[in-house]
Amino acid sequence: QKQLHLYTFEGHTDCVRSVAFSPDSQYLASASEDSTIRLWDIQQRKCLFIFQGHHDWVRSVSFSSTGQFLVSGGRDSTIRLWDVQQRKCLHVLTENTKRGWSVVISPENQKLVSGTEDSIIRFWDIK
């Protein structure tokens, strides 16, 4: 079968662990072992911003349903909520047991859900 490769984004300095499309498909977020999240403009094919704050691998990233927020989960046992427009971290939540693997924002942007190495799913109130 023929595979169609459109283009490549480069810039991370270590393995990419997670990627997510914005709801309008204009942007891509990528999370890496280089402790950063990059926001890419898909049409312009360039990095718009590098979110920094995690102190170890970023394992998971996802957009809110409106695209206003990004949430990231890191090997540093933190979950971070980012404002995409303002390009800043709004909240840092600390897992009190083992490291987080997966994170997602609820459709109404009021809760985060995380899955961790200790086999537990946690709900976080962020309103």
Side-chain angles (χ1 to χ4, degrees):
Q1 287 184 353
K2 183 179 177 180
Q3 293 183 346
L4 182 60
H5 177 103
L6 296 177
Y7 38 86
T8 303
F9 291 150
E10 295 181 23
H12 283 292
T13 59
D14 211 331
C15 299
V16 174
R17 287 282 177 172
S18 180
V19 292
F21 276 107
S22 64
D24 61 8
S25 297
Q26 290 184 347
Y27 304 105
L28 179 76
S30 56
S32 172
E33 288 185 15
D34 66 11
S35 304
T36 69
I37 300 134
R38 289 181 181 252
L39 181 66
W40 306 90
D41 184 303
I42 295 173
Q43 288 285 6
Q44 295 180 25
R45 299 181 187 155
K46 69 177 186 177
C47 181
L48 297 176
F49 190 75
I50 301 171
F51 294 94
Q52 296 179 308
H54 284 283
H55 302 291
D56 207 337
W57 302 355
V58 184
R59 291 182 163 171
S60 179
V61 66
S62 64
F63 279 92
S64 66
S65 61
T66 62
Q68 179 182 358
F69 304 109
L70 269 174
V71 62
S72 58
R75 189 176 179 207
D76 60 359
S77 299
T78 67
I79 296 168
R80 294 175 185 267
L81 179 67
W82 308 90
D83 186 301
V84 175
Q85 297 269 332
Q86 295 181 22
R87 312 275 205 268
K88 69 178 185 177
C89 184
L90 300 175
H91 295 291
V92 179
L93 307 170
T94 303
E95 294 279 8
N96 58 5
T97 55
K98 295 190 178 182
R99 300 174 188 120
W101 281 96
S102 180
V103 291
V104 67
I105 303 173
S106 64
E108 75 285 349
N109 297 331
Q110 294 185 3
K111 295 199 179 355
L112 293 177
V113 178
S114 65
T116 60
E117 286 181 355
D118 57 3
S119 306
I120 294 175
I121 297 168
R122 290 181 177 84
F123 283 76
W124 306 81
D125 190 2
I126 57 170
K127 58 181 175 172

